[in-house]
Amino acid sequence: MDVISFRTPGLGDQTYLLTHEGKGVLVDPQRDLDRFLRAAAERDVELRFVLETHLHNDYVSGAEQAALRTGAELVLPAAAAAAYRHTPAFHLEDIDGGAGLTLRPVHTPGHTPEHTSYLVLIDGEPAALFSGGSLLVASAGRPDLLGPERARSLARLQHISLRRLAGLPPGLGLYPTHGEGSFCTATGAGRLTSTIEAECADNPMLAIDDPEKFADTLLEAPMPIPAFYRYMGPANTLGVPPMPPVQVPELDRAPEGTHVVDIRPRQAQSRGMLPGSIGIELDDDFGSWTGWLLPYAEPLTLVAEPGQDVAEAVTQLAQIGVDTVQGVVRDLGADATQRYELLDLDAFVERLAQPDAQLLDVRMPNEREQGRVAGAIERFLADLFTQGVPVELDPERPVLVACGSGRRASIAAGLLAREGYRPIVLTGAGVPEAAAALHARDAA
């Protein structure tokens, strides 16, 4: 038996391909299936099963299309009640895969009500556990994605589910879907895979015996929920069409009625963007930020550098069900008049020390304990898009913008520039470093 993992960094998720004597089991596949099917073909593996642990809230699934393309048997939690053909997985009712391969569904509600983990047995012996969004490495799947009304009830169920899995054989390999970087984790998840023994020893969530204290811990400081999450569950319940082409037309200008997203590096954006556009430079989390900040699934036009490959951007958007990219503009000409300024830490701190300085901190609330600058105006990036620019900011004075690295600050700068402000972005460092530098400056 072998387990191959496929990381999707921007979503903090992993897909797995288990292989055994020429048969394959694909677990929680993303929509861009070719990478998984290619790995199976390279190993001369026939895909026997496609498994879903739950109706995902953070991406649209490729499971149905994987089964349709390969003839594999699609298995979903029985309580998911998806609208397309599948084999329902009932708690502890084994599914025989032949050649000594057996799937044993284990109902583990908490992340979602229907959530089901899969214990894989080889010749009757436990060989691997795919825990989806239940037991994670050093964490647990968050229970609040279906709304605050159900969060505590699901948190209590998660307490039971984690203990159910912790009772499995100590040496059993643990393969969760959600991990580091995922907004589906209740706390900061660590390594990507583990064992039952390691989690029993080190997972802080398994050290909490009282269900109410466990629920309190899961719910005490929840991370924000990306806006596009509300569309994922319904899409995965009804079925998702095949992946769209990743090549898009080259355009001379953005069509009327499209949202313009500039995917160039922030250095290029700062020198000039199309008026009204939003800059989200292409990185692992490009799709997540675009789906979070812009109206979901409305038409998009990308702006890219000459020769810049846009296939990755289109793929990331498709992973969250956004198939609306109209094309790409590469020659901005004289129209690139929307600008902002980039400064490194030393220059930013010098500017921050000036009497007219005003600082906008766009980090998440739970990041602010890492370090703050006195007098900063704090508004999380996503709230900046939904609530608008804080009224405390003076449009007649430059606005210094910072986050943790410059990534989110540069996105905020595009919005501020679009609204007529003069943004100055801290790049290559964040608010904690700026606060420490200011303190050292004052102490000198």
Side-chain angles (χ1 to χ4, degrees), residues 200-290:
C200 287
D202 300 328
N203 191 321
M205 304 312 297
L206 283 172
I208 305 174
D209 292 328
D210 180 67
E212 295 304 326
K213 183 179 178 182
F214 179 89
D216 290 340
T217 302
L218 279 186
L219 300 172
E220 65 183 352
M223 292 188 293
I225 299 175
F228 67 87
Y229 272 28
R230 70 175 71 109
Y231 302 101
M232 303 296 96
N236 290 327
T237 301
L238 298 177
V240 180
M243 179 83 177
V246 296
Q247 303 302 324
V248 297
E250 302 277 335
L251 304 174
D252 293 330
R253 59 176 53 87
E256 290 290 331
T258 67
H259 300 279
V260 180
V261 182
D262 195 321
I263 69 172
R264 298 176 299 158
R266 70 189 72 160
Q267 291 78 9
Q269 294 176 9
S270 68
R271 294 191 292 268
M273 300 165 61
L274 293 177
S277 61
I278 292 296
I280 307 177
E281 61 181 318
L282 183 58
D283 208 335
D284 288 339
D285 56 357
F286 164 80
S288 293
W289 282 118
T290 304

Side-chain angles (χ1 to χ4, degrees), residues 31 52 54-56 59-66 68 74 76 80-86 231-243 296 318-323:
R31 195 180 180 197
E52 287 279 56
H54 59 296
L55 295 176
H56 302 283
Y59 64 88
V60 294
S61 171
E64 181 192 14
Q65 293 300 324
L68 291 172
L74 176 60
L76 275 76
Y84 40 90
R85 184 177 293 277
H86 63 279
Y231 302 101
M232 303 296 96
N236 290 327
T237 301
L238 298 177
V240 180
M243 179 83 177
Y296 183 74
Q319 288 172 340
I320 60 169
V322 176
D323 299 345

Side-chain angles (χ1 to χ4, degrees), residues 357-438:
Q358 50 183 350
L359 174 64
L360 176 63
D361 178 350
V362 297
R363 294 176 299 164
M364 290 188 292
N366 62 342
E367 295 177 87
R368 294 169 189 160
E369 64 185 29
Q370 300 169 7
R372 297 173 114 138
V373 172
I377 297 167
E378 296 172 334
R379 179 161 293 179
F380 175 47
L381 175 61
D383 296 334
L384 195 66
F385 278 73
T386 56
Q387 301 174 15
V389 179
V391 295
E392 301 95 321
L393 289 176
D394 182 355
E396 300 302 318
R397 296 153 52 198
V399 180
L400 288 89
V401 194
C403 57
S405 66
R407 168 76 166 147
R408 290 166 291 177
S410 64
I411 299 173
L415 176 64
L416 290 165
R418 189 177 74 181
E419 298 297 320
Y421 292 80
R422 291 177 290 152
I424 300 174
V425 171
L426 172 59
T427 187
V431 174
E433 291 82 6
L438 277 172

Side-chain angles (χ1 to χ4, degrees), residues 95-108:
I95 301 172
D96 184 14
L101 173 66
T102 302
L103 306 179
R104 179 168 294 166
V106 182
H107 188 210
T108 46

